[in-house]
């Protein structure tokens, strides 16, 4: 911005332009003494800015744009160890370069022998040869440096934790299969899956399509994709983990509930992915076989038997078998009280509030007791703040999400403690916790849910010498790994209900580096993103707790960055060329945590260059 300043004596046309000093400070050795950083930094003579001597282990996700000459629309990962000193053919003198990897192609089929078709009792119309089943396939990437894990540990095939914009990826179908020993069912053309991926390890999940999903189990395997290689992997179902199939007797206590149309399945209790066929039940007592492959024994594994009602059966819960299912297990729907009309009124400061209401069972009354039933539903309030639904009597966790423009906070109860707020209970308008919703089998007046205004989180972002960090973007989002997360299985699987339901809020620092955010109760990661071009790193402060009272943070101090500069290149027939407009994001695991958080992002320029300024995320 420029100011017009008139000269003395009002001489015509004597104004001159003076540049207004920018509000946002810059990381420049000439402007800020590097020793004022915490911890002290050093000046990089060549770059001209202060840099940190701290070590940082991180990884990048690079989204290759659609117009790239190779690997277009793909995302690849690279670790900080792989980046150190990395270069490539065609890299200009004096530059460090990062090469877009050549992609590989994973293909395969799910095939069934005639003997296995007979074992599961399904006629596939090919008695003399194998049958290729139509199936859909998903590839979950494994983070570099993380060892593959067995069924009991769902990580690392959890792409969403690392911010993949386009993974996991589903394989497309091609016909006829390039390599196959059989036809499709009843002589139809065989189908294969095909997907193009960056090289690396993936967790592949293959699920037979309807109508074959009720007889043949899904299959999960670790697979490796190599660059410039078309790798065909033919999976043939030749045996089950239990040769006779795992047999279960499923019924209802005294036949009180008609199970016609219900489904039964074995699933991973952590990932909620099916590991057996999904079998539809009939009326009365059902004898079903739920076969698995590649799982071996179910003992000491996170596996549960789930019996679920068909869609549209309002108020009828699912039955969740407890403990590892054993062969010849009898699973009986217990007696539970019929669903009753349940209603609530959502108010804020005495006025009706329009909101979305999510209801999840914590405990449903059963006879005999201690049989786990699960029920969930979502409803909306009307203009008067009223909602109605049907629920089996029991205790329920509730989350109420006011409309986005509302000044009222999220209201939530949880049967387990909610991160940071002791919100094992909801937070009412008076700021005191409220218990879970008890639904009884006797008539009840509508329950009033009193919402409180959002509380304000205030703070200031400054440099080590106290200089305010003006014009920085500030964001508060649900903590990636709340302090309430139990040891063992990492989030999000291990968290109580609604712990990460808080809404993300953004603002910008003022001239004094100050900011204020109106937030729901919960536990947040606070991210401060200095203005582009200032060469300061993000401040990432994890696990900040908010209740229903205003909180003022201690100043958030900007640390000196660990600089990263690379040129992104892609191979073509005429040599390596720069790749502009690639989206690059950096992730690191905070000290004492297990889940990576984003610590920086940028786009490559027209010359293919990327520049990132990174710092260790702080608790």
């Amino acid at each position: 911005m420029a100011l017009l300043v008139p000269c003395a004596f009002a001489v015509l046309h004597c104004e001159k332009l003076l540049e207004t000093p920018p509000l946002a400070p810059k990381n420049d050795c000439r402007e800020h003494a590097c020793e004022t950083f915490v911890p002290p930094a050093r000046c990089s003579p060549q770059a001209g800015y202060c840099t940190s001597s701290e070590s940082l282990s991180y990884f990048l996700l690079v989204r290759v744009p659609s117009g790239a000459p190779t690997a277009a629309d793909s995302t690849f990962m690279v670790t900080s160890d792989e980046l150190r000193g990395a270069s490539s053919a065609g890299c200009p003198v004096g530059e460090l370069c990062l090469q877009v990897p050549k992609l590989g192609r994973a293909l395969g089929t799910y095939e069934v022998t005639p003997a296995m078709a007979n074992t599961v009792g399904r006629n596939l119309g090919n008695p003399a040869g194998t049958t290729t089943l139509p199936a859909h396939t998903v590839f979950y990437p494994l983070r570099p440096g993380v060892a593959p894990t067995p069924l009991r540990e769902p990580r690392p095939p959890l792409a969403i934790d690392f911010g993949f914009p386009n993974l996991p990826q589903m394989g497309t179908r091609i016909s006829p299969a390039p390599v196959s020993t059989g036809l499709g069912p009843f002589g139809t053309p065989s189908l294969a899956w095909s997907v193009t991926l960056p090289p690396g390890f993936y967790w592949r999940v293959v699920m037979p399509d309807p109508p074959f999903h009720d007889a043949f189990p899904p299959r999960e395997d670790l697979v490796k994709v190599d660059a410039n290689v078309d790798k065909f992997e033919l999976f043939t179902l030749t045996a089950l983990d239990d040769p006779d199939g795992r047999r279960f007797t499923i019924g209802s206590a005294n036949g009180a509930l008609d199970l016609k149309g219900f489904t039964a399945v074995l699933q991973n209790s952590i990932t909620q992915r099916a590991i057996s066929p999904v079998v539809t039940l009939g009326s009365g007592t059902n004898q079903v076989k739920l076969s698995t492959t590649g799982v071996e024994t179910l003992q000491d594994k996170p596996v549960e038997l789930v019996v679920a009602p068909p869609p549209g059966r309002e108020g009828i819960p699912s039955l969740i078998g407890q403990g590892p299912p054993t062969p010849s297990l009898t699973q009986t729907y217990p007696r539970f009280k019929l669903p009753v009309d349940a209603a609530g009124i959502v108010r804020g400061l005495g006025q009706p509030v329009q909101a979305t209401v999510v209801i999840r069972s914590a405990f449903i009354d059963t006879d005999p007791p201690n049989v786990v039933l699960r029920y969930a539903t979502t409803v909306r309030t009307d203009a008067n703040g009223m909602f109605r639904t049907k629920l089996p009597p029991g205790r329920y966790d509730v989350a109420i999400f006011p409309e986005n423009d509302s000044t009222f906070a999220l209201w939530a109860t949880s049967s387990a403690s909610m991160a940071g707020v002791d919100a094992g209970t909801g937070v009412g308008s008076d700021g005191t916790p409220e218990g879970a919703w008890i639904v009884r089998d006797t008539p009840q007046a509508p329950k009033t849910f009193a919402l409180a205004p959002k509380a304000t989180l205030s703070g200031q972002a400054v440099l080590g010498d106290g200089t305010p960090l003006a014009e920085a973007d500030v964001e508060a989002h649900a903590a990636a790994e709340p302090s309430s997360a139990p040891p063992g299985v990492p989030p999000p699987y291990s968290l109580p209900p609604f712990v990460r339901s808080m809404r993300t809020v953004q603002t910008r620092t003022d001239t004094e580096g100050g900011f204020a955010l109106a937030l729901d109760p919960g536990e947040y990661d606070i991210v401060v993103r200095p203005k582009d071009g200032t060469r300061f790193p993000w401040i990432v402060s994890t696990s900040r707790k908010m209740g229903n009272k205003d909180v003022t943070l201690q100043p958030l101090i900007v640390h000196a960055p660990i600089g990263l500069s690379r040129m992104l290149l892609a191979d073509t027939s005429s040599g390596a060329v720069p790749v502009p407009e690639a989206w690059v994001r950096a992730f690191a695991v905070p000290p004492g945590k297990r889940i990576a958080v984003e610590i920086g992002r940028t786009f490559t320029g027209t010359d293919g260059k990327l520049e990132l300024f990174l710092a260790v995320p702080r608790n």
Side-chain angles (χ1 to χ4, degrees):
M1 179 179 177
L3 294 177
L4 289 173
V5 181
C7 295
F9 313 113
V11 178
L12 192 62
H13 303 303
C14 195
E15 292 94 344
K16 61 180 179 179
L17 291 173
L18 293 179
E19 289 296 323
T20 303
L23 295 177
K26 289 186 177 182
N27 183 0
D28 189 316
C29 300
R30 296 167 297 181
E31 295 184 18
H32 298 282
C34 295
E35 60 270 16
T36 61
F37 280 93
V38 181
R42 63 178 185 273
C43 181
S44 171
Q46 186 175 11
Y49 63 86
C50 301
T51 61
S52 172
S53 58
E54 288 186 290
S55 62
L56 174 64
S57 178
Y58 61 91
F59 61 93
L60 302 182
L61 297 181
V62 182
R63 168 71 169 170
V64 183
S66 57
T70 58
D73 287 324
S74 68
T75 298
F76 68 93
M77 293 181 283
V78 59
T79 67
S80 50
D81 287 338
E82 293 168 330
L83 281 169
R84 291 187 179 97
S87 193
S88 59
C91 188
V93 176
E95 297 284 353
L96 289 174
C97 297
L98 174 62
Q99 190 80 34
V100 173
K102 295 179 173 62
L103 302 183
R105 190 176 180 214
L107 306 98
T109 56
Y110 185 124
E111 305 204 351
V112 179
T113 63
M116 286 309 304
N118 290 334
T119 298
V120 302
R122 177 60 63 87
N123 177 20
L124 297 177
N126 295 323
T130 60
T131 301
T132 301
L133 295 184
H136 56 287
T137 311
V138 182
F139 290 78
Y140 296 87
L142 307 191
R143 181 159 61 92
V146 177
T149 54
L151 178 69
R152 67 166 59 248
E153 300 169 12
R155 302 188 58 80
L158 199 62
I160 192 66
D161 281 359
F162 303 108
F164 275 88
N166 67 332
L167 290 176
Q169 287 197 2
M170 181 174 287
T172 56
R173 294 172 183 152
I174 56 174
S175 179
V179 179
S180 177
T181 59
L183 296 171
F186 299 96
T188 56
S190 59
L191 286 168
W193 63 76
S194 173
V195 62
T196 301
L197 297 165
F201 287 96
Y202 295 82
W203 198 259
R204 184 190 65 204
V205 180
V206 185
M207 296 155 283
D209 287 345
F212 308 103
H213 70 305
D214 64 354
F216 300 98
R219 175 78 183 197
E220 299 192 10
D221 291 287
L222 173 70
V223 297
K224 185 173 184 288
V225 174
D226 295 307
N228 272 344
V229 174
D230 286 356
K231 187 176 182 181
F232 188 91
E233 293 187 278
L234 181 151
F235 166 66
T236 302
L237 183 64
T238 58
L240 302 173
D241 294 328
D242 183 331
D244 192 34
R246 293 187 169 94
R247 297 177 180 273
F248 300 93
T249 301
I250 301 173
S252 171
N254 297 332
L257 183 65
D258 185 2
L259 299 182
K260 184 176 182 180
F262 282 56
T263 56
V265 65
L266 296 176
Q267 70 178 24
N268 185 320
S269 60
I270 299 173
T271 64
Q272 306 291 295
R273 286 200 297 263
I275 63 169
S276 79
V278 181
V279 177
T280 301
L281 306 180
S283 298
T285 300
N286 292 256
Q287 304 289 332
V288 299
K289 289 198 300 183
L290 298 178
S291 308
T292 61
T293 178
V295 180
E296 299 176 353
T297 176
L298 300 185
Q299 299 301 311
D300 302 322
K301 301 283 181 65
V303 176
E304 60 190 11
L305 171 63
V306 179
V307 183
R313 293 289 296 272
E314 187 180 24
I316 304 299
S318 298
L319 172 64
I320 312 298
Q322 294 301 288
T326 56
S328 303
L329 174 73
T330 296
Q331 190 74 62
T332 302
Y333 249 98
R335 296 185 188 89
F336 63 92
K337 296 172 182 178
L338 293 177
V340 298
D341 292 326
I345 301 174
V346 180
R347 293 187 176 277
L349 300 180
Q351 300 299 312
V353 175
Q354 289 190 297
T356 298
V357 183
V358 181
I359 304 167
R360 292 177 55 174
S361 62
F363 177 81
I364 295 176
D365 297 337
T366 61
D367 179 18
N370 302 321
V371 177
V372 177
L373 298 178
R374 183 185 295 160
Y375 186 73
T377 188
T378 300
V379 293
R380 282 188 54 79
T381 62
D382 59 20
N384 297 316
M386 173 76 76
F387 68 88
R388 299 181 185 277
T389 188
K390 285 186 176 293
L391 298 172
R395 185 173 72 250
Y396 289 85
D397 296 325
V398 181
I400 298 175
F401 298 87
E403 298 290 347
N404 288 334
D405 58 354
S406 172
T407 60
F408 294 103
L410 163 74
W411 193 102
T413 68
S414 177
S415 52
S417 177
M418 189 173 173
V421 207
D422 190 25
T425 52
V427 177
S429 58
D430 60 355
T432 59
E434 301 200 17
W437 187 15
I438 307 297
V439 176
R440 309 185 189 282
D441 60 349
T442 55
Q444 292 177 266
K447 178 177 174 62
T448 298
F449 296 86
L451 306 189
K454 298 174 184 176
T456 299
L457 177 75
S458 302
Q460 183 189 28
V462 297
L463 303 184
D465 62 1
T467 303
L469 186 66
E471 296 185 322
D473 292 326
V474 184
E475 177 179 292
H477 55 247
E481 186 173 355
S483 56
S484 62
V489 178
Y493 297 124
S494 57
L495 296 178
F498 309 131
V499 163
R500 300 187 71 245
S501 297
M502 302 88 72
R503 292 163 290 181
T504 297
V505 180
Q506 296 177 326
T507 189
R508 180 165 290 181
T509 59
D510 57 24
T511 56
E512 298 302 316
F515 61 88
L517 300 160
L519 300 177
D520 299 317
E523 189 168 346
Y524 291 84
D525 291 341
I526 310 298
V527 181
V528 181
R529 303 184 183 103
K531 186 176 181 180
D532 288 346
T534 61
R535 299 190 292 198
F536 287 116
W538 290 9
I539 304 173
V540 182
S541 179
T542 63
S543 301
R544 296 286 186 161
K545 299 176 182 179
M546 278 294 295
N548 66 334
K549 296 181 180 179
D550 294 347
V551 172
T552 300
L553 298 174
Q554 293 293 320
L556 299 177
I557 300 175
V558 182
H559 294 265
I562 298 166
L564 172 68
S565 178
R566 292 291 186 276
M567 178 182 287
L568 185 64
L569 298 179
D571 278 340
T572 69
S573 57
S574 56
V577 297
V579 179
E581 298 182 358
W583 188 30
V584 184
R585 304 170 72 194
F587 293 80
V589 178
K593 299 282 189 178
R594 295 168 289 176
I595 301 298
V597 297
E598 189 175 7
I599 60 171
R601 68 174 70 139
T602 189
F603 283 90
T604 55
T606 55
D607 57 359
K609 288 186 179 180
L610 67 94
E611 199 167 26
L612 282 168
F613 303 92
L614 308 176
V616 177
R618 314 281 169 168
N619 295 333

